[in-house]
Amino acid sequence: MKIRLWRGFLLAVQNLTRLPVGNVSFDAEVFGRGTAFFPLVGLLVGAILTGIYYGGSLIWSSPVTAALMVAGGLVVTGGMHLDGFMDTLDGFGGGNAERRLEIMRDSRVGAFGVMGAISLLFLRFALFQSLSGSAWRLILLAPVVSRCGVVWAIDLFPYVRPKGQGMFYKKYTGWREVVTATALTLAIGFGIGGFAGCFISAASFAIATLLGLFFSRRLGGLTGDTYGAVNEILEVAALAGGLVLLR
């Protein structure tokens, strides 16, 4: 059992980041149930960004450090969540649900995706530059709550594609995985920011649900791209809200 849990965590790290974890053998069920560890993967990403923030602040000005954090986040994740965000925006420029899904499947990036990505990256840059004081709390928390929100979206809404890695997540993510991910997120949130951290976590669950409803009504369900979009939106929202609540 411990080996399966460890493999589930490593497979989650392998899929959500570009961090080297060795040659982890693939098992569909272990992979799918790895959603329980998404918040821990987020914590790992947050720890790397925290290191960039404090290391960069010793050498460069805040704009340079913020730019390094944005770039660092893209390197660590491989930009996969941003790619999903861009594809989702492009898809919503189409007509009916079938056409939107077809556009989202296209590897080429359209105008909506480019504009959305530029806006998102500028906003993230501005939020990173606005950090001060105990910045480590918010840098750690935002990737945690955003990835837990994805777990909620996976469980609550249907997966619309006939194939894809998202199918494994949808098939094997149940109440145990959701409860585990939620408990981890609330514990991390309280440990980092007290009741304010818990509030940010709970708000992210609500926003993830609303986003899932929005995407599902227009696509007939969710896809891997919309999972990435949920993550990107929640992470920026957590940074923005946290700047107010965790001053």
Side-chain angles (χ1 to χ4, degrees), residues 138 141 145-146 182 185-208 234 237-246:
L138 190 52
L141 183 59
V145 301
S146 66
T182 302
T185 300
L186 290 174
I188 293 170
F190 184 77
I192 290 175
F195 290 109
C198 289
F199 178 81
I200 293 172
S201 302
S204 73
F205 306 152
I207 295 172
L234 285 180
L239 286 169
L243 282 172
V244 176
L245 294 173
L246 295 179

PDB file of all heavy atoms in Angstrom, residues 138 141 145-146 182 185-208 234 237-246:
ATOM      1  N   LEU A 138       2.130  33.115   0.803  1.00  0.00           N
ATOM      2  CA  LEU A 138       1.262  33.175  -0.362  1.00  0.00           C
ATOM      3  C   LEU A 138       1.857  32.423  -1.551  1.00  0.00           C
ATOM      4  O   LEU A 138       1.126  31.776  -2.311  1.00  0.00           O
ATOM      5  CB  LEU A 138       1.017  34.638  -0.734  1.00  0.00           C
ATOM      6  CG  LEU A 138      -0.056  34.910  -1.787  1.00  0.00           C
ATOM      7  CD1 LEU A 138      -1.354  34.212  -1.418  1.00  0.00           C
ATOM      8  CD2 LEU A 138      -0.276  36.408  -1.926  1.00  0.00           C
ATOM      9  N   LEU A 141       1.102  28.840  -0.875  1.00  0.00           N
ATOM     10  CA  LEU A 141      -0.304  28.464  -0.803  1.00  0.00           C
ATOM     11  C   LEU A 141      -1.004  28.454  -2.156  1.00  0.00           C
ATOM     12  O   LEU A 141      -1.826  27.565  -2.430  1.00  0.00           O
ATOM     13  CB  LEU A 141      -1.040  29.409   0.151  1.00  0.00           C
ATOM     14  CG  LEU A 141      -2.519  29.108   0.410  1.00  0.00           C
ATOM     15  CD1 LEU A 141      -2.685  27.706   0.992  1.00  0.00           C
ATOM     16  CD2 LEU A 141      -3.111  30.154   1.350  1.00  0.00           C
ATOM     17  N   VAL A 145      -3.741  25.423  -3.478  1.00  0.00           N
ATOM     18  CA  VAL A 145      -5.196  25.535  -3.595  1.00  0.00           C
ATOM     19  C   VAL A 145      -5.648  25.400  -5.041  1.00  0.00           C
ATOM     20  O   VAL A 145      -6.735  24.869  -5.316  1.00  0.00           O
ATOM     21  CB  VAL A 145      -5.709  26.854  -2.986  1.00  0.00           C
ATOM     22  CG1 VAL A 145      -5.338  26.948  -1.515  1.00  0.00           C
ATOM     23  CG2 VAL A 145      -5.188  28.079  -3.741  1.00  0.00           C
ATOM     24  N   SER A 146      -4.828  25.867  -5.988  1.00  0.00           N
ATOM     25  CA  SER A 146      -5.228  25.774  -7.391  1.00  0.00           C
ATOM     26  C   SER A 146      -5.292  24.325  -7.845  1.00  0.00           C
ATOM     27  O   SER A 146      -6.224  23.928  -8.558  1.00  0.00           O
ATOM     28  CB  SER A 146      -4.259  26.563  -8.273  1.00  0.00           C
ATOM     29  OG  SER A 146      -2.968  25.992  -8.270  1.00  0.00           O
ATOM     30  N   THR A 182      -8.486  17.665  -0.238  1.00  0.00           N
ATOM     31  CA  THR A 182      -9.071  18.796   0.480  1.00  0.00           C
ATOM     32  C   THR A 182      -8.495  18.925   1.889  1.00  0.00           C
ATOM     33  O   THR A 182      -8.169  20.034   2.342  1.00  0.00           O
ATOM     34  CB  THR A 182     -10.596  18.642   0.559  1.00  0.00           C
ATOM     35  OG1 THR A 182     -11.140  18.540  -0.764  1.00  0.00           O
ATOM     36  CG2 THR A 182     -11.230  19.826   1.268  1.00  0.00           C
ATOM     37  N   THR A 185      -5.026  20.288   1.694  1.00  0.00           N
ATOM     38  CA  THR A 185      -5.042  21.711   1.351  1.00  0.00           C
ATOM     39  C   THR A 185      -5.443  22.569   2.548  1.00  0.00           C
ATOM     40  O   THR A 185      -4.821  23.604   2.823  1.00  0.00           O
ATOM     41  CB  THR A 185      -6.016  21.964   0.182  1.00  0.00           C
ATOM     42  OG1 THR A 185      -5.580  21.206  -0.948  1.00  0.00           O
ATOM     43  CG2 THR A 185      -6.064  23.437  -0.181  1.00  0.00           C
ATOM     44  N   LEU A 186      -6.470  22.155   3.262  1.00  0.00           N
ATOM     45  CA  LEU A 186      -6.907  22.925   4.427  1.00  0.00           C
ATOM     46  C   LEU A 186      -5.843  22.920   5.521  1.00  0.00           C
ATOM     47  O   LEU A 186      -5.624  23.936   6.193  1.00  0.00           O
ATOM     48  CB  LEU A 186      -8.218  22.360   4.958  1.00  0.00           C
ATOM     49  CG  LEU A 186      -9.451  22.587   4.071  1.00  0.00           C
ATOM     50  CD1 LEU A 186     -10.655  21.843   4.636  1.00  0.00           C
ATOM     51  CD2 LEU A 186      -9.752  24.074   3.926  1.00  0.00           C
ATOM     52  N   ALA A 187      -5.177  21.776   5.694  1.00  0.00           N
ATOM     53  CA  ALA A 187      -4.115  21.695   6.701  1.00  0.00           C
ATOM     54  C   ALA A 187      -2.946  22.601   6.326  1.00  0.00           C
ATOM     55  O   ALA A 187      -2.412  23.336   7.172  1.00  0.00           O
ATOM     56  CB  ALA A 187      -3.642  20.248   6.843  1.00  0.00           C
ATOM     57  N   ILE A 188      -2.569  22.560   5.055  1.00  0.00           N
ATOM     58  CA  ILE A 188      -1.477  23.422   4.594  1.00  0.00           C
ATOM     59  C   ILE A 188      -1.899  24.885   4.694  1.00  0.00           C
ATOM     60  O   ILE A 188      -1.130  25.751   5.132  1.00  0.00           O
ATOM     61  CB  ILE A 188      -1.086  23.068   3.145  1.00  0.00           C
ATOM     62  CG1 ILE A 188      -0.462  21.673   3.093  1.00  0.00           C
ATOM     63  CG2 ILE A 188      -0.101  24.102   2.582  1.00  0.00           C
ATOM     64  CD1 ILE A 188      -0.262  21.135   1.690  1.00  0.00           C
ATOM     65  N   GLY A 189      -3.154  25.174   4.289  1.00  0.00           N
ATOM     66  CA  GLY A 189      -3.650  26.545   4.351  1.00  0.00           C
ATOM     67  C   GLY A 189      -3.649  27.094   5.762  1.00  0.00           C
ATOM     68  O   GLY A 189      -3.232  28.236   6.000  1.00  0.00           O
ATOM     69  N   PHE A 190      -4.111  26.265   6.713  1.00  0.00           N
ATOM     70  CA  PHE A 190      -4.132  26.726   8.109  1.00  0.00           C
ATOM     71  C   PHE A 190      -2.709  26.862   8.647  1.00  0.00           C
ATOM     72  O   PHE A 190      -2.403  27.808   9.377  1.00  0.00           O
ATOM     73  CB  PHE A 190      -4.918  25.746   8.971  1.00  0.00           C
ATOM     74  CG  PHE A 190      -5.060  26.194  10.405  1.00  0.00           C
ATOM     75  CD1 PHE A 190      -5.964  27.183  10.747  1.00  0.00           C
ATOM     76  CD2 PHE A 190      -4.265  25.634  11.401  1.00  0.00           C
ATOM     77  CE1 PHE A 190      -6.088  27.619  12.063  1.00  0.00           C
ATOM     78  CE2 PHE A 190      -4.373  26.056  12.717  1.00  0.00           C
ATOM     79  CZ  PHE A 190      -5.291  27.050  13.052  1.00  0.00           C
ATOM     80  N   GLY A 191      -1.837  25.928   8.294  1.00  0.00           N
ATOM     81  CA  GLY A 191      -0.459  25.994   8.770  1.00  0.00           C
ATOM     82  C   GLY A 191       0.281  27.205   8.236  1.00  0.00           C
ATOM     83  O   GLY A 191       1.128  27.781   8.922  1.00  0.00           O
ATOM     84  N   ILE A 192      -0.054  27.602   7.019  1.00  0.00           N
ATOM     85  CA  ILE A 192       0.634  28.731   6.397  1.00  0.00           C
ATOM     86  C   ILE A 192       0.003  30.064   6.784  1.00  0.00           C
ATOM     87  O   ILE A 192       0.698  31.023   7.141  1.00  0.00           O
ATOM     88  CB  ILE A 192       0.624  28.588   4.862  1.00  0.00           C
ATOM     89  CG1 ILE A 192       1.533  27.429   4.434  1.00  0.00           C
ATOM     90  CG2 ILE A 192       1.083  29.879   4.188  1.00  0.00           C
ATOM     91  CD1 ILE A 192       1.485  27.135   2.955  1.00  0.00           C
ATOM     92  N   GLY A 193      -1.337  30.127   6.715  1.00  0.00           N
ATOM     93  CA  GLY A 193      -1.991  31.422   6.897  1.00  0.00           C
ATOM     94  C   GLY A 193      -3.119  31.451   7.902  1.00  0.00           C
ATOM     95  O   GLY A 193      -3.919  32.395   7.902  1.00  0.00           O
ATOM     96  N   GLY A 194      -3.217  30.411   8.748  1.00  0.00           N
ATOM     97  CA  GLY A 194      -4.276  30.406   9.739  1.00  0.00           C
ATOM     98  C   GLY A 194      -5.651  30.336   9.088  1.00  0.00           C
ATOM     99  O   GLY A 194      -5.834  29.699   8.058  1.00  0.00           O
ATOM    100  N   PHE A 195      -6.615  31.023   9.695  1.00  0.00           N
ATOM    101  CA  PHE A 195      -7.976  30.990   9.164  1.00  0.00           C
ATOM    102  C   PHE A 195      -8.077  31.681   7.809  1.00  0.00           C
ATOM    103  O   PHE A 195      -8.917  31.326   6.984  1.00  0.00           O
ATOM    104  CB  PHE A 195      -8.947  31.623  10.158  1.00  0.00           C
ATOM    105  CG  PHE A 195      -9.156  30.785  11.390  1.00  0.00           C
ATOM    106  CD1 PHE A 195      -8.638  31.181  12.615  1.00  0.00           C
ATOM    107  CD2 PHE A 195      -9.839  29.581  11.316  1.00  0.00           C
ATOM    108  CE1 PHE A 195      -8.822  30.401  13.745  1.00  0.00           C
ATOM    109  CE2 PHE A 195     -10.030  28.797  12.443  1.00  0.00           C
ATOM    110  CZ  PHE A 195      -9.511  29.203  13.658  1.00  0.00           C
ATOM    111  N   ALA A 196      -7.215  32.663   7.561  1.00  0.00           N
ATOM    112  CA  ALA A 196      -7.196  33.306   6.246  1.00  0.00           C
ATOM    113  C   ALA A 196      -6.774  32.306   5.174  1.00  0.00           C
ATOM    114  O   ALA A 196      -7.328  32.296   4.067  1.00  0.00           O
ATOM    115  CB  ALA A 196      -6.247  34.501   6.252  1.00  0.00           C
ATOM    116  N   GLY A 197      -5.818  31.456   5.513  1.00  0.00           N
ATOM    117  CA  GLY A 197      -5.390  30.417   4.578  1.00  0.00           C
ATOM    118  C   GLY A 197      -6.501  29.430   4.289  1.00  0.00           C
ATOM    119  O   GLY A 197      -6.687  28.981   3.151  1.00  0.00           O
ATOM    120  N   CYS A 198      -7.271  29.083   5.322  1.00  0.00           N
ATOM    121  CA  CYS A 198      -8.417  28.181   5.136  1.00  0.00           C
ATOM    122  C   CYS A 198      -9.486  28.842   4.275  1.00  0.00           C
ATOM    123  O   CYS A 198     -10.120  28.184   3.444  1.00  0.00           O
ATOM    124  CB  CYS A 198      -9.004  27.778   6.487  1.00  0.00           C
ATOM    125  SG  CYS A 198      -7.955  26.665   7.443  1.00  0.00           S
ATOM    126  N   PHE A 199      -9.685  30.158   4.473  1.00  0.00           N
ATOM    127  CA  PHE A 199     -10.684  30.869   3.681  1.00  0.00           C
ATOM    128  C   PHE A 199     -10.292  30.894   2.210  1.00  0.00           C
ATOM    129  O   PHE A 199     -11.141  30.680   1.325  1.00  0.00           O
ATOM    130  CB  PHE A 199     -10.842  32.299   4.198  1.00  0.00           C
ATOM    131  CG  PHE A 199     -11.820  33.117   3.409  1.00  0.00           C
ATOM    132  CD1 PHE A 199     -13.182  33.000   3.630  1.00  0.00           C
ATOM    133  CD2 PHE A 199     -11.368  33.993   2.422  1.00  0.00           C
ATOM    134  CE1 PHE A 199     -14.094  33.747   2.887  1.00  0.00           C
ATOM    135  CE2 PHE A 199     -12.271  34.731   1.680  1.00  0.00           C
ATOM    136  CZ  PHE A 199     -13.634  34.610   1.915  1.00  0.00           C
ATOM    137  N   ILE A 200      -9.025  31.142   1.930  1.00  0.00           N
ATOM    138  CA  ILE A 200      -8.548  31.136   0.545  1.00  0.00           C
ATOM    139  C   ILE A 200      -8.752  29.754  -0.074  1.00  0.00           C
ATOM    140  O   ILE A 200      -9.162  29.627  -1.238  1.00  0.00           O
ATOM    141  CB  ILE A 200      -7.063  31.549   0.486  1.00  0.00           C
ATOM    142  CG1 ILE A 200      -6.906  33.012   0.890  1.00  0.00           C
ATOM    143  CG2 ILE A 200      -6.487  31.328  -0.917  1.00  0.00           C
ATOM    144  CD1 ILE A 200      -5.476  33.451   1.051  1.00  0.00           C
ATOM    145  N   SER A 201      -8.484  28.714   0.710  1.00  0.00           N
ATOM    146  CA  SER A 201      -8.674  27.347   0.227  1.00  0.00           C
ATOM    147  C   SER A 201     -10.136  27.083  -0.100  1.00  0.00           C
ATOM    148  O   SER A 201     -10.470  26.567  -1.177  1.00  0.00           O
ATOM    149  CB  SER A 201      -8.185  26.341   1.281  1.00  0.00           C
ATOM    150  OG  SER A 201      -6.822  26.547   1.588  1.00  0.00           O
ATOM    151  N   ALA A 202     -11.027  27.441   0.830  1.00  0.00           N
ATOM    152  CA  ALA A 202     -12.452  27.210   0.621  1.00  0.00           C
ATOM    153  C   ALA A 202     -12.975  28.015  -0.564  1.00  0.00           C
ATOM    154  O   ALA A 202     -13.795  27.522  -1.352  1.00  0.00           O
ATOM    155  CB  ALA A 202     -13.224  27.580   1.890  1.00  0.00           C
ATOM    156  N   ALA A 203     -12.491  29.241  -0.720  1.00  0.00           N
ATOM    157  CA  ALA A 203     -12.914  30.064  -1.852  1.00  0.00           C
ATOM    158  C   ALA A 203     -12.483  29.439  -3.169  1.00  0.00           C
ATOM    159  O   ALA A 203     -13.217  29.501  -4.170  1.00  0.00           O
ATOM    160  CB  ALA A 203     -12.334  31.470  -1.712  1.00  0.00           C
ATOM    161  N   SER A 204     -11.302  28.830  -3.165  1.00  0.00           N
ATOM    162  CA  SER A 204     -10.826  28.190  -4.401  1.00  0.00           C
ATOM    163  C   SER A 204     -11.705  27.011  -4.786  1.00  0.00           C
ATOM    164  O   SER A 204     -11.937  26.755  -5.981  1.00  0.00           O
ATOM    165  CB  SER A 204      -9.372  27.731  -4.235  1.00  0.00           C
ATOM    166  OG  SER A 204      -9.275  26.600  -3.387  1.00  0.00           O
ATOM    167  N   PHE A 205     -12.225  26.280  -3.799  1.00  0.00           N
ATOM    168  CA  PHE A 205     -13.120  25.165  -4.103  1.00  0.00           C
ATOM    169  C   PHE A 205     -14.400  25.682  -4.759  1.00  0.00           C
ATOM    170  O   PHE A 205     -14.910  25.083  -5.713  1.00  0.00           O
ATOM    171  CB  PHE A 205     -13.476  24.387  -2.833  1.00  0.00           C
ATOM    172  CG  PHE A 205     -12.292  23.916  -2.034  1.00  0.00           C
ATOM    173  CD1 PHE A 205     -12.401  23.727  -0.657  1.00  0.00           C
ATOM    174  CD2 PHE A 205     -11.075  23.661  -2.642  1.00  0.00           C
ATOM    175  CE1 PHE A 205     -11.321  23.294   0.085  1.00  0.00           C
ATOM    176  CE2 PHE A 205      -9.982  23.228  -1.902  1.00  0.00           C
ATOM    177  CZ  PHE A 205     -10.109  23.048  -0.533  1.00  0.00           C
ATOM    178  N   ALA A 206     -14.905  26.791  -4.236  1.00  0.00           N
ATOM    179  CA  ALA A 206     -16.129  27.381  -4.783  1.00  0.00           C
ATOM    180  C   ALA A 206     -15.904  27.888  -6.209  1.00  0.00           C
ATOM    181  O   ALA A 206     -16.732  27.668  -7.105  1.00  0.00           O
ATOM    182  CB  ALA A 206     -16.615  28.516  -3.884  1.00  0.00           C
ATOM    183  N   ILE A 207     -14.777  28.552  -6.426  1.00  0.00           N
ATOM    184  CA  ILE A 207     -14.474  29.075  -7.761  1.00  0.00           C
ATOM    185  C   ILE A 207     -14.274  27.925  -8.743  1.00  0.00           C
ATOM    186  O   ILE A 207     -14.723  27.997  -9.897  1.00  0.00           O
ATOM    187  CB  ILE A 207     -13.221  29.971  -7.716  1.00  0.00           C
ATOM    188  CG1 ILE A 207     -13.495  31.215  -6.868  1.00  0.00           C
ATOM    189  CG2 ILE A 207     -12.802  30.392  -9.125  1.00  0.00           C
ATOM    190  CD1 ILE A 207     -12.264  32.066  -6.611  1.00  0.00           C
ATOM    191  N   ALA A 208     -13.605  26.855  -8.308  1.00  0.00           N
ATOM    192  CA  ALA A 208     -13.407  25.690  -9.171  1.00  0.00           C
ATOM    193  C   ALA A 208     -14.742  25.091  -9.593  1.00  0.00           C
ATOM    194  O   ALA A 208     -14.925  24.681 -10.745  1.00  0.00           O
ATOM    195  CB  ALA A 208     -12.567  24.640  -8.450  1.00  0.00           C
ATOM    196  N   LEU A 234      -7.309  29.760 -10.874  1.00  0.00           N
ATOM    197  CA  LEU A 234      -7.322  29.673  -9.414  1.00  0.00           C
ATOM    198  C   LEU A 234      -6.014  30.162  -8.805  1.00  0.00           C
ATOM    199  O   LEU A 234      -6.018  30.816  -7.753  1.00  0.00           O
ATOM    200  CB  LEU A 234      -7.572  28.226  -8.983  1.00  0.00           C
ATOM    201  CG  LEU A 234      -8.989  27.692  -9.126  1.00  0.00           C
ATOM    202  CD1 LEU A 234      -9.058  26.247  -8.646  1.00  0.00           C
ATOM    203  CD2 LEU A 234      -9.977  28.543  -8.344  1.00  0.00           C
ATOM    204  N   ALA A 237      -6.052  33.889  -8.913  1.00  0.00           N
ATOM    205  CA  ALA A 237      -7.067  34.380  -7.976  1.00  0.00           C
ATOM    206  C   ALA A 237      -6.582  34.257  -6.537  1.00  0.00           C
ATOM    207  O   ALA A 237      -6.828  35.151  -5.707  1.00  0.00           O
ATOM    208  CB  ALA A 237      -8.369  33.604  -8.164  1.00  0.00           C
ATOM    209  N   ALA A 238      -5.900  33.163  -6.224  1.00  0.00           N
ATOM    210  CA  ALA A 238      -5.376  32.972  -4.869  1.00  0.00           C
ATOM    211  C   ALA A 238      -4.302  34.007  -4.551  1.00  0.00           C
ATOM    212  O   ALA A 238      -4.238  34.527  -3.428  1.00  0.00           O
ATOM    213  CB  ALA A 238      -4.818  31.564  -4.717  1.00  0.00           C
ATOM    214  N   LEU A 239      -3.452  34.315  -5.520  1.00  0.00           N
ATOM    215  CA  LEU A 239      -2.428  35.337  -5.311  1.00  0.00           C
ATOM    216  C   LEU A 239      -3.079  36.704  -5.070  1.00  0.00           C
ATOM    217  O   LEU A 239      -2.688  37.435  -4.154  1.00  0.00           O
ATOM    218  CB  LEU A 239      -1.502  35.413  -6.529  1.00  0.00           C
ATOM    219  CG  LEU A 239      -0.491  34.276  -6.705  1.00  0.00           C
ATOM    220  CD1 LEU A 239       0.162  34.357  -8.083  1.00  0.00           C
ATOM    221  CD2 LEU A 239       0.577  34.319  -5.616  1.00  0.00           C
ATOM    222  N   ALA A 240      -4.079  37.025  -5.895  1.00  0.00           N
ATOM    223  CA  ALA A 240      -4.752  38.316  -5.758  1.00  0.00           C
ATOM    224  C   ALA A 240      -5.493  38.436  -4.433  1.00  0.00           C
ATOM    225  O   ALA A 240      -5.391  39.450  -3.727  1.00  0.00           O
ATOM    226  CB  ALA A 240      -5.711  38.525  -6.929  1.00  0.00           C
ATOM    227  N   GLY A 241      -6.250  37.400  -4.088  1.00  0.00           N
ATOM    228  CA  GLY A 241      -6.974  37.434  -2.828  1.00  0.00           C
ATOM    229  C   GLY A 241      -6.058  37.381  -1.619  1.00  0.00           C
ATOM    230  O   GLY A 241      -6.300  38.038  -0.605  1.00  0.00           O
ATOM    231  N   GLY A 242      -5.007  36.605  -1.751  1.00  0.00           N
ATOM    232  CA  GLY A 242      -4.074  36.468  -0.639  1.00  0.00           C
ATOM    233  C   GLY A 242      -3.311  37.749  -0.332  1.00  0.00           C
ATOM    234  O   GLY A 242      -2.959  38.001   0.826  1.00  0.00           O
ATOM    235  N   LEU A 243      -3.079  38.564  -1.352  1.00  0.00           N
ATOM    236  CA  LEU A 243      -2.407  39.835  -1.107  1.00  0.00           C
ATOM    237  C   LEU A 243      -3.224  40.738  -0.190  1.00  0.00           C
ATOM    238  O   LEU A 243      -2.695  41.587   0.521  1.00  0.00           O
ATOM    239  CB  LEU A 243      -2.145  40.560  -2.431  1.00  0.00           C
ATOM    240  CG  LEU A 243      -0.954  40.045  -3.245  1.00  0.00           C
ATOM    241  CD1 LEU A 243      -0.912  40.701  -4.612  1.00  0.00           C
ATOM    242  CD2 LEU A 243       0.351  40.315  -2.502  1.00  0.00           C
ATOM    243  N   VAL A 244      -4.537  40.543  -0.196  1.00  0.00           N
ATOM    244  CA  VAL A 244      -5.422  41.315   0.675  1.00  0.00           C
ATOM    245  C   VAL A 244      -5.532  40.661   2.055  1.00  0.00           C
ATOM    246  O   VAL A 244      -5.429  41.334   3.090  1.00  0.00           O
ATOM    247  CB  VAL A 244      -6.825  41.441   0.045  1.00  0.00           C
ATOM    248  CG1 VAL A 244      -7.776  42.170   0.995  1.00  0.00           C
ATOM    249  CG2 VAL A 244      -6.748  42.157  -1.296  1.00  0.00           C
ATOM    250  N   LEU A 245      -5.721  39.329   2.053  1.00  0.00           N
ATOM    251  CA  LEU A 245      -5.996  38.633   3.311  1.00  0.00           C
ATOM    252  C   LEU A 245      -4.754  38.316   4.145  1.00  0.00           C
ATOM    253  O   LEU A 245      -4.823  38.222   5.355  1.00  0.00           O
ATOM    254  CB  LEU A 245      -6.741  37.323   3.009  1.00  0.00           C
ATOM    255  CG  LEU A 245      -8.142  37.496   2.417  1.00  0.00           C
ATOM    256  CD1 LEU A 245      -8.691  36.129   2.005  1.00  0.00           C
ATOM    257  CD2 LEU A 245      -9.074  38.146   3.425  1.00  0.00           C
ATOM    258  N   LEU A 246      -3.609  38.160   3.474  1.00  0.00           N
ATOM    259  CA  LEU A 246      -2.396  37.742   4.189  1.00  0.00           C
ATOM    260  C   LEU A 246      -1.363  38.858   4.250  1.00  0.00           C
ATOM    261  O   LEU A 246      -0.169  38.616   4.188  1.00  0.00           O
ATOM    262  CB  LEU A 246      -1.793  36.506   3.518  1.00  0.00           C
ATOM    263  CG  LEU A 246      -2.628  35.237   3.552  1.00  0.00           C
ATOM    264  CD1 LEU A 246      -1.919  34.096   2.814  1.00  0.00           C
ATOM    265  CD2 LEU A 246      -2.912  34.816   4.985  1.00  0.00           C
TER     266      LEU A 246
END
